[in-house]
Amino acid sequence: MRHPLHEWAEASLPEMLLDLERLVLVESPSSDLAAVARSADVVAEIGGRRIGFAPERIVLDGCTHLRWHLGSPEPDAPRVLLLAHHDTVWPIGTLETHPFSLQDGVIRGPGCFDMLTGLVMAVHAAAHLGHHPDAALTLLVTGDEELGSPTSRAMIEQEADGCVAALVLEASGDGGALKIGRKGTSNYRVEITGRAAHAGLEPEKGLNATLEIAHQVGVVAQFADASVGTSVTPTLIHGGTTVNTVPAHASVEVDVRALTAEEQHRVDDRFRSLTSSTGARVAVHGGINRPPLEITATEGVWRRARAVADELGMSLPEAIVVGGASDGNFTAGVGVPTLDGLGAVGGGAHADHEHVMVDDIPARTALLMGLIRDLLGIDASATDA
């Protein structure tokens, strides 16, 4: 006999698919604030209809976020934060070459895997639980996650404060693996200021910024430590003006990933100590963006998720640690137990083959529901809200 939560999720699947299609068809590239606002309109309409009331609409530096506070428990009652985002990496016009489709049990379309399916799951779970007297939930849907959450970070940390757990509806790992660790991210720009001169007539009067940046690229690459999972990757490099001018300016962008806050700070200290090898001026901009989602912040919720999966008759693969960051890094960074990767099963995030497996959506939604109930102390066998 199937668990009641499975039956509820299976019955909800047709409506979930309709909601997902609507969201995919509203393109929402993070850097296009008007597009993100239009996407927020659709999320608000869908969520308002499913949950029963409209969200708070929060616009920060032009970026639109949505928030639902559900339940009216005692102030000291446990609360769970559901985290999702409605922005995507895909530019306007992507639907012309990557249209929404549902064929042979596979959904395709920009943002379906990262992370619109997870958003739909969160909305339906919140709608089902929202009127339960013991269900204290916050559903926060941000609009700038793909940019590193520059406007929403403080709000995420504030909403997480005091919660028993934060559940992040980002897509799963291969085969549905939950994510119990994410590397922290840091971003740096090393800028060099030299002195221009004619490259043919008097190159000796110049101070070559390109030579200095070449030196610095080699130096910062050595900050990596593969033995502890720390990567330091120079990415974009710029320099010079014309082919016959000693370059006065050059810069390099550097992506840093680390599994621990200790490693992030070690690398940060090394960047701050960079010195010139040629006499050109060296300036370092940027720093730590997202703290790591460390396993110590996830293991308790992960154990509970496995217990809920067993109760539901589900088989979960081993959880994984990944290099990409999410808003779960922020909730873990303020000390809130966090579990990530609870969203869709599929693949191709940020890639042309982005897709979601339809058959897994009900089971994932049942798992989310069961875990919320467990965290809030609600009878997991009950089917009504």
Side-chain angles (χ1 to χ4, degrees):
M1 180 177 177
R2 303 198 73 193
H3 193 282
L5 287 179
H6 273 301
E7 294 179 354
W8 165 80
E10 287 283 1
S12 301
L13 181 60
E15 291 185 337
M16 294 173 71
L17 295 177
L18 289 174
D19 291 344
L20 177 58
E21 181 176 4
R22 287 193 63 196
L23 290 177
V24 172
L25 292 177
V26 181
E27 296 176 299
S28 55
S30 309
S31 58
D32 186 332
L33 296 178
V36 171
R38 290 193 297 270
S39 172
D41 289 340
V42 177
V43 176
E45 191 279 322
I46 290 172
R49 178 162 41 85
R50 300 296 183 197
I51 294 171
F53 63 94
E56 299 172 72
R57 189 182 183 97
I58 303 161
V59 181
L60 301 171
D61 293 338
C63 186
T64 308
H65 317 287
L66 302 171
R67 178 173 62 197
W68 281 267
H69 283 144
L70 296 94
S72 54
E74 297 297 322
D76 59 349
R79 175 172 288 272
V80 168
L81 172 63
L82 302 182
L83 266 180
H85 66 86
H86 67 101
D87 60 313
T88 73
V89 300
W90 298 98
I92 297 293
T94 300
L95 285 170
E96 296 177 9
T97 55
H98 298 70
F100 176 88
S101 68
L102 198 174
Q103 186 174 5
D104 299 326
V106 180
I107 295 169
R108 301 185 189 278
C112 65
F113 183 61
D114 183 13
M115 63 163 291
L116 299 177
T117 299
L119 169 55
V120 169
M121 290 167 53
V123 166
H124 281 254
H128 190 66
L129 280 172
H131 299 292
H132 193 288
D134 296 324
L137 286 173
T138 297
L139 171 56
L140 183 59
V141 185
T142 62
D144 62 354
E145 192 275 343
E146 297 292 2
L147 298 177
S149 308
T151 72
S152 60
R153 174 177 181 169
M155 181 172 55
I156 292 166
E157 293 173 338
Q158 179 181 357
E159 291 297 331
D161 185 38
C163 287
V164 295
L167 305 181
V168 186
L169 274 297
E170 291 284 0
S172 69
D174 289 347
L178 299 181
K179 297 172 181 178
I180 57 171
R182 285 183 178 273
K183 290 185 178 182
T185 60
S186 305
N187 301 103
Y188 297 92
R189 184 174 72 257
V190 180
E191 290 188 346
I192 307 300
T193 302
R195 185 170 57 251
H198 194 292
L201 295 178
E202 45 189 13
E204 70 282 355
K205 292 185 177 181
L207 192 54
N208 196 317
T210 295
L211 288 177
E212 183 61 47
I213 203 68
H215 169 77
Q216 297 296 339
V217 166
V219 170
V220 301
Q222 296 303 309
F223 297 167
D225 187 346
S227 69
V228 292
T230 301
S231 62
V232 179
T233 308
T235 54
L236 299 175
I237 192 165
H238 300 281
T241 52
T242 67
V243 295
N244 60 350
T245 301
V246 175
H249 299 282
S251 66
V252 63
E253 306 280 344
V254 187
D255 177 284
V256 178
R257 309 281 169 140
L259 287 169
T260 65
E262 180 182 9
E263 271 295 284
Q264 279 190 306
H265 288 290
R266 177 190 68 80
V267 173
D268 190 72
D269 289 344
R270 297 292 299 276
F271 268 95
R272 306 303 169 191
S273 66
L274 288 174
T275 58
S276 176
S277 66
T278 62
R281 184 167 64 86
V282 179
V284 176
H285 306 278
I288 295 170
N289 170 246
R290 282 186 170 108
L293 171 57
E294 299 191 38
I295 293 175
T296 53
T298 66
E299 53 192 359
V301 190
W302 163 235
R303 285 195 299 268
R304 295 177 80 156
R306 285 188 298 180
V308 169
D310 288 343
E311 197 173 318
L312 294 173
M314 294 174 58
S315 176
L316 285 179
E318 286 299 312
I320 59 174
V321 176
V322 297
S326 82
D327 287 338
N329 293 61
F330 295 137
T331 59
V334 296
V336 175
T338 299
L339 189 60
D340 205 337
L342 284 156
V345 177
H350 300 195
D352 289 343
H353 63 288
E354 183 172 14
H355 65 281
V356 170
M357 307 307 296
V358 173
D359 287 348
D360 289 298
I361 295 175
R364 302 292 289 190
T365 309
L367 175 64
L368 175 65
M369 283 284 296
L371 182 55
I372 296 170
R373 288 173 175 267
D374 178 69
L375 290 165
L376 295 177
I378 300 172
D379 180 6
S381 65
T383 59
D384 63 326

